[in-house]
Amino acid sequence: MANHGYIPRNGITDMTQLAYGLQEGLGLAPDFTLVLIAFALKTCVDLTTLKMSIGRTDSRTDGPLSVLLGTAPGLFSAEAHNKYEIDGSLGGDDAYFAPDKRSHFNGTRWNRWRQIAVEKYDGVMSIPWNSEVRSIQYKECRDMNPECHWAVVDQFAFYAAQNLISTLIPSSEENGKPGPALVDTIDTFFGFHKDSTGQYTHGSSRFPPGSSGVWYRRTVPHTFPEFVEAGIASLAPRK
């Protein structure tokens, strides 16, 4: 959203700007927007300034009580792990394997999940694809990570959030809802690029254009019940 001017590009935003960006930039419904803002207030917002950092912890969010309470953790800070960053992500190593317990982009990891979509789901990162990927991630986290964090509440939110790949990110079609979540489309949104060696790197992200060459946000707003429904669907076991 920052790259397209919906929230400031300096890495610091407030709740009014965030609400505007979520609704006008991405097409979230008011109910879903309020849920996300409430979650932000609980985890990474200074309650006196109502500001948050969309990156690492940043003193620019500080308010009158920061001397006593400390600086609010940034969205992608080590302190926010298991709040926004959770074990089993698509592009980042589990905290146990990552320096400073912070998620760092792993292009090989991303390409692995991408290839599952290409080989088994016609190149579409759909809800069934998400279900299979999360199942694999759970088993590997359980078996290989001695500090695996897979709490039910956290993970349900993450299962559902990962489905935003298919329910929110692609450009909207004539029916007001997103088209298919093609792997190239999702690469563009997240800023994942294949370099000259064939490895994926993390660069600048942008809204992926649809068939018309332009990206359109959802005109049918994405509601919170739809978010929950997608999360439940992705919990279904895959053979």
Side-chain angles (χ1 to χ4, degrees):
M1 293 188 293
N3 284 346
H4 295 274
Y6 290 102
I7 60 176
R9 300 191 68 175
N10 63 2
I12 306 297
T13 188
D14 62 33
M15 296 303 96
T16 300
Q17 294 165 337
L18 181 60
Y20 174 80
L22 290 172
Q23 294 182 74
E24 293 299 318
L26 295 178
L28 267 62
D31 65 332
F32 196 1
T33 298
L34 288 174
V35 169
L36 293 182
I37 287 178
F39 191 45
L41 288 169
K42 180 182 177 182
T43 56
C44 59
V45 173
D46 185 287
L47 296 180
T48 57
T49 64
L50 295 182
K51 292 181 178 180
M52 64 178 284
S53 167
I54 61 173
R56 306 301 184 194
T57 301
D58 194 312
S59 61
R60 289 178 294 170
T61 65
D62 284 355
L65 298 180
S66 297
V67 174
L68 298 175
L69 302 178
T71 299
L75 188 61
F76 292 105
S77 65
E79 298 85 355
H81 189 79
N82 297 331
K83 294 177 181 177
Y84 281 99
E85 292 187 284
I86 297 180
D87 288 336
S89 73
L90 289 172
D93 294 318
D94 289 0
Y96 178 77
F97 302 109
D100 304 320
K101 299 294 185 182
R102 295 189 305 197
S103 179
H104 296 265
F105 179 67
N106 182 331
T108 301
R109 183 180 179 88
W110 168 252
N111 189 47
R112 180 186 178 191
W113 313 128
R114 189 184 191 279
Q115 281 302 115
I116 290 176
V118 170
E119 295 170 4
K120 299 184 66 175
Y121 296 94
D122 298 321
V124 178
M125 292 180 166
S126 58
I127 290 177
W129 164 84
N130 182 42
S131 178
E132 177 171 348
V133 166
R134 295 303 295 163
S135 177
I136 295 170
Q137 291 167 338
Y138 166 69
K139 292 174 183 176
E140 293 186 352
C141 184
R142 178 194 62 192
D143 295 341
M144 300 171 63
N145 182 352
E147 296 180 2
C148 180
H149 182 89
W150 212 275
V152 174
V153 175
D154 291 344
Q155 283 298 331
F156 176 76
F158 205 62
Y159 272 75
Q162 199 160 285
N163 281 319
L164 294 177
I165 285 176
S166 60
T167 63
L168 188 68
I169 290 176
S171 181
S172 178
E173 297 188 329
E174 290 184 0
N175 63 2
K177 292 188 176 183
L182 301 173
V183 290
D184 290 340
T185 293
I186 307 308
D187 284 342
T188 299
F189 183 88
F190 286 122
F192 299 154
H193 309 279
K194 185 180 288 188
D195 63 20
S196 59
T197 68
Q199 297 296 313
Y200 278 90
T201 60
H202 193 190
S204 298
S205 62
R206 61 187 179 89
F207 289 154
S211 57
S212 65
V214 179
W215 186 86
Y216 294 99
R217 67 170 171 82
R218 290 178 57 131
T219 54
V220 177
H222 193 308
T223 65
F224 184 65
E226 183 181 352
F227 174 77
V228 173
E229 181 181 358
I232 293 172
S234 67
L235 289 172
R238 300 287 161 183
K239 297 181 180 180

